[in-house]
Amino acid sequence: MEDRQCGFYGLIIVFIVLLRFTNGELDYSIQEETKLGSIIGNVAKDLGIDVGKMTARKARIETERNSRGYCEINLRTGDLTVAKRIDREELCGEKALCILKFELLLELPLELHHISLKIDDINDNTPLFPKDTIKLEITESADKGARYRVNAAHDADIGQNGVQSYMLKENRHFVLNTQTTSAGINYAELILNHELDREEQHEMTLFLTALDGGSPQRSGTLTIDVTVLDANDNAPVFSQAVYEASLPENSPLKTHVITVSATDVDEGVNGEVIYGFNKMSEKSRKLFSLDQKTGEVTVIGDIDFEEGSKYEIYIESKDGYGLSTDTKVIIFITDDNDNAPIISLKSLTNPVPEDVSPGTEVGLINVEDIDSEKNRQVRCFIQQNMPFKLIPSIKNYYSLLTTDKLDRELMPHYNITITAIDEGSPPLSSLKTIQVSIADVNDNPPVFEEQSYSSYVPENNKPGHSLCSVKAHDPDWRQNGTVIYSLLPGEVNGAPVSSYFSVNGDTGVIQSVRSFDYEHFQNFKVNVMARDNGSPPLSSNVTVSVIITDVNDNTPQILYPAPEGNSFMTELVPKAAQGGSLVSKVIAVDGDSGQNAWLSYQIIKSTDPGLFKIDLHSGEIRTQRDISDSDNMKQNIVVAVKDNGQPSLSATCSMFLLISDNLAEDMAFEESSTKLTSYLIIALVSVSTFFLTFVIIILGLRFCRRRKPRLLFDGAVAIPSSYLPPNYADVDGTGTLRSAYNYDAYLTTGSRTSDFKFVTSYNDNTLPAEQTLRKNPTDFEEAFFLIFS
């Protein structure tokens, strides 16, 4: 496919290409040897190009090899000036028309304009004869009117500036006649106008002047030494007026080119002919040699078609006494495919932004083959699987275009190999590799390594503690890939998130600004933004979950009984209580969580160590055996409550138990007898009056409360909700205060300072805060009369 693109395109493609380029034609003329820096013309004005944009559009002169360096363009003025000495004879030799071709190349957008510069000849060369002096031997028997040809003078100029006429200095024996050959060469003939007499004058000197037609006129003079001899009246005659030969370039040395032949009808020395070069350029002298005897022309130098495709030389034949004639030999050099195409990078956008659209022109390639005809026909292509292609543009130029979207992150640069193959036999090819770099565009946002991050931090941490590190990668380059981290605005517990955390903008390390307390909050989320430094910047966010882990920094808090030293709590235990009976309960909570809040209970001191025991996990105090008469009536128990943290924290409390078989007497024993008697009388009267009514009410209440246990008194288990810590009630299964711990009434002490007595438990759950016991007169009276019922 690429081959076809670089070969000969159809009319449609050619038409499209022509639409993309401005193909202007400019013709200028200038005389040779014009002073350096002279202005040839203003190409900007002549082509209608904005001079102010010529520098930005990288305007420049492109030339073929033989025209290189002769002209240059002034980007500030648009003038085309002479940059190198121009010698028409050196450039074009004897060609009648000498034209140098240039190309003005502009970019952004691409324009190519052809410029033809005609070099006009000036009369800067003098006519020259092959030799400054020649000898002419003429027999005295020569007839009047005999003609003697003189080799033509050569003038490197052309046309009117070339040799136009000859002039012979006046003498008594010869007059001048000017002739023109079939090749258009003017030469002179000496005509004998007065017979010679060797005895009178055997030698004479003639002066022949060649004149050109230039202004001012230039001339060259030939000195002719005439020797008067006897009897040589015939000059040699060539078999052809013009000889032509064809010679392949790169012919080896001593290759036969052509053989010229001339005959002289005279006999002896007068008929012996020798050959020699008469007129030829210095370049021709280095390439060809002539055998003086045979007239064979052979190769003695390197024949290069590109250096010269045609050579004209003049060969002179002369007999033994100096009569001579000349002939013209034209040698045509045939081309051989000995030059590979030359690939030149004329323009390249490097680097190419990765966001350019397909079809964007990024380079201009010139392919030149200095061979001729078919040997210089070139097709050009690049390797496959590239997001680029070559299309022909103007003459021997190719445009390098993008074909697909570019992505610097996938391929930061491309090595494009351009191949050019000519149509010669065998074909020759050239390779040129160019590197096209892809410029980065900020088209990729930073991407975090994780979709979300979690960090566990123990409470009571120090400010500046590193929580975690977030990391985002941006595949873009330099500042487009430089990632900066920041916290997104937000609130934590009503305060700005920046008052809790900070993030290192370079490393992504998140640090605490303050110390955390697990008992106030356990977790929260922080949003971190990663932003690149491109323009415009791109960003992405990630959520960081910060989880506060508990530290055992809270001592168990005993709710009932009050801790030792605060107050004395007394419980009455019926003497008839059997082993395993519930007599009381220690209730404690711990502000920590998890195993740090798992509480265990232990009796560390007891009046009678074998009488009571406490459940390790619930804190229930029960009798280990039946109470006997020998047991002390007053029991003091010290209970230690420990959590399960490391290290463990603990608290203690004291509980006083009074064993009695007559609760009324016990109450009388505790209070003054006077007050007790008064209260008992009032109570007995009241009981007698309302006994039946209360019995019915109590029976009804007991029946209704079989499914929902009754909670009485504001004793040890009656915990006001305002007394509980705010987070105790919603902690379940951790060993602290549980959700539903209910007890049924057994008895009361009858004393205002005594506490409620627990007997049985409906379940093992802890009392919830919303089911706190409340003290009211009805509950007191109900419990009081139950004692005596």
Side-chain angles (χ1 to χ4, degrees), residues 616-744:
L616 180 64
H617 301 295
S618 67
E620 294 179 345
I621 301 175
R622 297 179 182 273
T623 58
Q624 294 191 76
R625 57 178 174 80
D626 296 342
I627 298 176
S628 63
D629 293 336
S630 61
D631 293 327
N632 195 332
M633 300 300 290
K634 293 183 179 180
Q635 297 285 333
N636 183 17
I637 299 174
V638 178
V639 178
V641 181
K642 297 174 61 178
D643 60 27
N644 199 34
Q646 294 294 332
S648 177
L649 302 178
S650 62
T652 60
C653 64
S654 296
M655 182 174 288
F656 298 92
L657 301 177
L658 179 63
I659 300 174
S660 175
D661 58 354
N662 190 336
L663 295 180
E665 292 178 358
D666 292 336
M667 289 186 292
F669 177 78
E670 292 179 3
E671 299 183 5
S672 63
S673 58
T674 303
K675 289 183 179 182
L676 181 59
T677 302
S678 300
Y679 288 146
L680 290 175
I681 292 173
I682 295 172
L684 291 173
V685 172
S686 300
V687 169
S688 301
T689 306
F690 300 104
F691 177 76
L692 293 175
T693 304
F694 277 100
V695 168
I696 296 172
I697 293 173
I698 290 172
L699 290 175
L701 291 174
R702 289 183 63 127
F703 178 79
C704 294
R705 294 182 183 181
R706 287 186 183 274
R707 296 184 178 179
K708 183 176 181 182
R710 293 172 299 163
L711 306 176
L712 304 176
F713 278 79
D714 191 12
V717 296
I719 306 167
S721 60
S722 62
Y723 181 75
L724 292 172
N727 60 335
Y728 286 173
D730 60 359
V731 180
D732 188 19
T734 61
T736 193
L737 191 61
R738 299 188 181 182
S739 59
Y741 206 120
N742 303 326
Y743 294 89
D744 197 4

Side-chain angles (χ1 to χ4, degrees), residues 19-32:
L19 288 178
R20 297 179 61 251
F21 299 92
T22 302
N23 189 7
E25 295 282 352
L26 291 179
D27 293 322
Y28 295 108
S29 64
I30 189 172
Q31 290 184 340
E32 62 173 328

Side-chain angles (χ1 to χ4, degrees), residues 210 266 318 405 443 483 552 588 660 770:
D266 292 326
K318 184 168 62 171
K405 291 185 177 180
D443 57 348
V483 179
N552 192 30
S660 175
E770 65 270 13

Side-chain angles (χ1 to χ4, degrees), residues 191-484:
I191 301 176
L192 185 61
N193 189 45
H194 189 275
E195 293 179 352
L196 300 175
D197 186 352
R198 183 176 182 279
E199 289 70 29
E200 179 182 345
Q201 185 179 5
H202 72 279
E203 289 184 344
M204 66 185 69
T205 300
L206 305 178
F207 296 96
L208 178 64
T209 302
L211 302 172
D212 64 22
S215 178
Q217 190 177 53
R218 291 175 178 268
S219 63
T221 301
L222 172 67
T223 300
I224 305 173
D225 293 329
V226 179
T227 300
V228 180
L229 300 175
D230 291 327
N232 183 25
D233 54 354
N234 291 289
V237 177
F238 280 100
S239 60
Q240 295 179 216
V242 177
Y243 290 85
E244 292 185 356
S246 178
L247 180 66
E249 69 171 323
N250 303 318
S251 294
L253 300 181
K254 297 184 180 180
T255 298
H256 171 78
V257 180
I258 195 172
T259 299
V260 297
S261 176
T263 59
D264 192 320
V265 296
D266 292 326
E267 295 181 355
V269 176
N270 295 332
E272 293 179 0
V273 177
I274 60 173
Y275 302 94
F277 288 124
N278 184 13
K279 184 181 71 172
M280 65 187 307
S281 65
E282 289 298 321
K283 184 176 182 181
S284 299
R285 291 184 185 276
K286 297 177 182 180
L287 298 178
F288 306 104
S289 68
L290 174 66
D291 190 300
Q292 291 185 346
K293 294 182 178 180
T294 65
E296 181 183 15
V297 179
T298 57
V299 176
I300 61 172
D302 295 330
I303 306 300
D304 189 351
F305 174 85
E306 288 69 41
E307 294 293 333
S309 60
K310 177 183 176 182
Y311 294 93
E312 295 183 358
I313 59 179
Y314 292 87
I315 297 177
E316 176 187 50
S317 65
K318 184 168 62 171
D319 61 21
Y321 287 100
L323 294 181
S324 65
T325 57
D326 60 7
T327 187
K328 182 177 182 180
V329 178
I330 302 175
I331 302 174
F332 297 97
I333 308 301
T334 59
D335 185 38
D336 188 14
N337 190 30
D338 59 342
N339 292 281
I342 300 173
I343 303 173
S344 302
L345 179 63
K346 296 301 183 181
S347 174
L348 180 64
T349 301
N350 203 10
V352 178
E354 62 178 325
D355 60 348
V356 298
S357 58
T360 300
E361 183 179 73
V362 298
L364 186 65
I365 312 298
N366 176 261
V367 181
E368 182 181 2
D369 194 319
I370 59 177
D371 292 322
S372 64
E373 298 179 354
K374 187 176 182 180
N375 294 332
R376 70 179 302 167
Q377 299 298 324
V378 178
R379 52 190 178 92
C380 184
F381 57 90
I382 63 175
Q383 70 267 42
Q384 296 181 352
N385 301 321
M386 281 277 177
F388 301 94
K389 67 177 180 180
L390 281 178
I391 64 169
S393 54
I394 301 176
K395 198 178 178 180
N396 51 348
Y397 285 88
Y398 294 86
S399 293
L400 181 63
L401 307 179
T402 60
T403 58
D404 297 309
K405 291 185 177 180
L406 305 177
D407 191 343
R408 189 204 67 84
E409 289 70 42
L410 294 178
M411 186 65 68
H413 63 268
Y414 294 89
N415 290 321
I416 303 175
T417 300
I418 303 171
T419 303
I421 302 177
D422 62 27
E423 298 293 334
S425 179
L428 299 179
S429 63
S430 298
L431 300 177
K432 186 178 183 64
T433 299
I434 59 175
Q435 186 179 79
V436 177
S437 299
I438 308 303
D440 186 50
V441 174
N442 192 28
D443 57 348
N444 291 282
V447 177
F448 284 95
E449 292 180 347
E450 306 289 341
Q451 292 184 351
S452 62
Y453 292 83
S454 297
S455 175
Y456 293 84
V457 56
E459 64 174 330
N460 304 324
N461 60 294
K462 294 182 179 180
H465 176 78
S466 295
L467 305 182
C468 67
S469 176
V470 297
K471 189 68 175 179
H473 298 281
D474 192 321
D476 291 323
W477 195 44
R478 290 186 176 175
Q479 66 179 18
N480 293 334
T482 302
V483 179
I484 302 173

